[in-house]
Amino acid sequence: MSVHELNPVGVDVLPDNALERMKHWAAGRPLQVALCHKRRGRWKAWRWVDVLHEVARLGVALQRQGFGPGSRLALSGALEPTAILLALAAQAAGGQVVPVCRRAEGGELRSLLLRLQPSHAFVESREGVSRWLEAAQELPRELLVFSARSAPRRQGHCRVLPLAALEEKEPVVPLIQSWRTLRQEETLWCEEGSEWREGLGLLLRHWLDSGNGFAFPESSESAARDRRDVAPTALLLSEGRRQALAAEIEQRLAPAGSWSRRLSDWALHGPERGLRRWLAARVRELLGLRCLERLLPGEALPLARPAPAWLGERREQAA
């Protein structure tokens, strides 16, 4: 059965044992980095013990905002620490979590909200908040939206509060982490958003099963540069992101049909393993993939050419 079948629209995407696994790692690896996110040019890290404390704090704060059993939290934005901590907090408070595509607008967003019937939401972008205010006018009950980038507002049944409304108690201050320190750890990487419906559930499953830290770029535009900082050992990729990465690889090689490209193709697929390894290593370094061992989820299709020659070798070595 596919993940898509396991997580149809409207069904809670969090693993049932998410909180249990989080507590397991907080007890066994309290000071190991669990989440890392680049913000305003600096890497900030939450240890497992920080995750435990933040989930408990946010769970209580959500309850004070009327969230509990029967409530549903919609998440719209990048898959990064704020969304992950809120998702776990929602489960701790007894509610459900559903992702909503961050690009949805107009009639599409209105239909999604009417079908999902969220009671609360986290919307990352200021533009997204404006779209939600417009789309939520026909909702039969009040929707409370939290956003770090929007002032308090109200329109119809939709009320917007700053994310600071959930900070009645002092939040954990994440540690400032150097990229050199990050490279010393086995790090998983994700640059996806809530438009990948299965993404949050898959991310939590791989993160909580492995106990390894997940890192996230500052933005989609800076993903390649931020990836080079971290040099992750595994990538969690949707099919769309895989295609984008394949295009990125293409851009690092000479134009198709040129003599330089023919030379590159020969080096990648020809008999000279030394040249192939040198060129593959160069491409990996430029893309921040020099330590890559795994592509997640494992059942997804491999990257398009010319990547398989070297990504396949890395996957075989990891197996």
Side-chain angles (χ1 to χ4, degrees), residues 33-39 43-46 78-81 84 177-179 181-183 185-192 203 207 210 212-219 223 226-237 288 296:
V33 171
L35 299 170
C36 201
H37 188 207
K38 197 170 192 180
R39 294 182 174 178
W43 286 103
K44 298 190 176 183
W46 291 256
L79 300 184
E80 44 88 359
I84 292 166
Q177 201 85 337
S178 74
W179 61 266
T181 303
L182 290 175
R183 285 194 175 191
E185 304 289 337
E186 183 174 351
T187 305
L188 312 181
W189 178 264
C190 180
E191 53 194 65
E192 302 284 351
L203 189 158
W207 178 50
S210 70
N212 294 323
F214 248 105
F216 308 86
E218 186 160 9
S219 66
D226 297 342
R227 213 188 298 131
R228 287 196 294 274
D229 282 355
V230 175
T233 55
L235 304 182
L236 180 68
L237 296 171
L296 307 172

Side-chain angles (χ1 to χ4, degrees), residues 272-302:
E272 298 294 334
R273 294 181 63 84
L275 278 174
R276 181 170 66 193
R277 286 174 178 169
W278 176 85
L279 182 58
R282 176 62 178 157
V283 173
R284 282 200 303 269
E285 185 68 36
L286 289 170
L287 295 174
L289 304 176
R290 66 181 184 86
C291 296
L292 183 67
E293 295 177 353
R294 291 175 293 148
L295 299 176
L296 307 172
E299 70 273 17
L301 296 173

Side-chain angles (χ1 to χ4, degrees), residues 106-166:
E108 179 190 5
L109 180 56
R110 190 176 302 112
S111 296
L112 275 172
L113 296 181
L114 286 170
R115 182 161 67 249
L116 296 174
Q117 291 293 310
S119 57
H120 298 68
F122 168 68
V123 180
E124 183 183 27
S125 71
R126 185 180 292 107
E127 297 79 8
V129 168
S130 296
R131 293 197 297 267
W132 277 61
L133 281 168
E134 184 68 27
Q137 292 186 58
E138 298 177 18
L139 292 182
R141 61 177 182 175
E142 184 168 289
L143 171 63
L144 183 55
V145 175
F146 301 103
S147 179
R149 300 175 181 174
S150 183
R153 300 166 65 185
R154 188 180 189 101
Q155 186 170 316
H157 284 170
C158 188
R159 182 161 62 104
V160 180
L161 289 178
L163 197 59
L166 296 176

Side-chain angles (χ1 to χ4, degrees), residues 249-263:
I249 292 169
E250 287 282 342
Q251 291 172 6
R252 296 292 182 176
L253 299 172
S258 68
W259 69 268
S260 297
R261 179 55 178 271
R262 288 194 293 271
L263 181 61

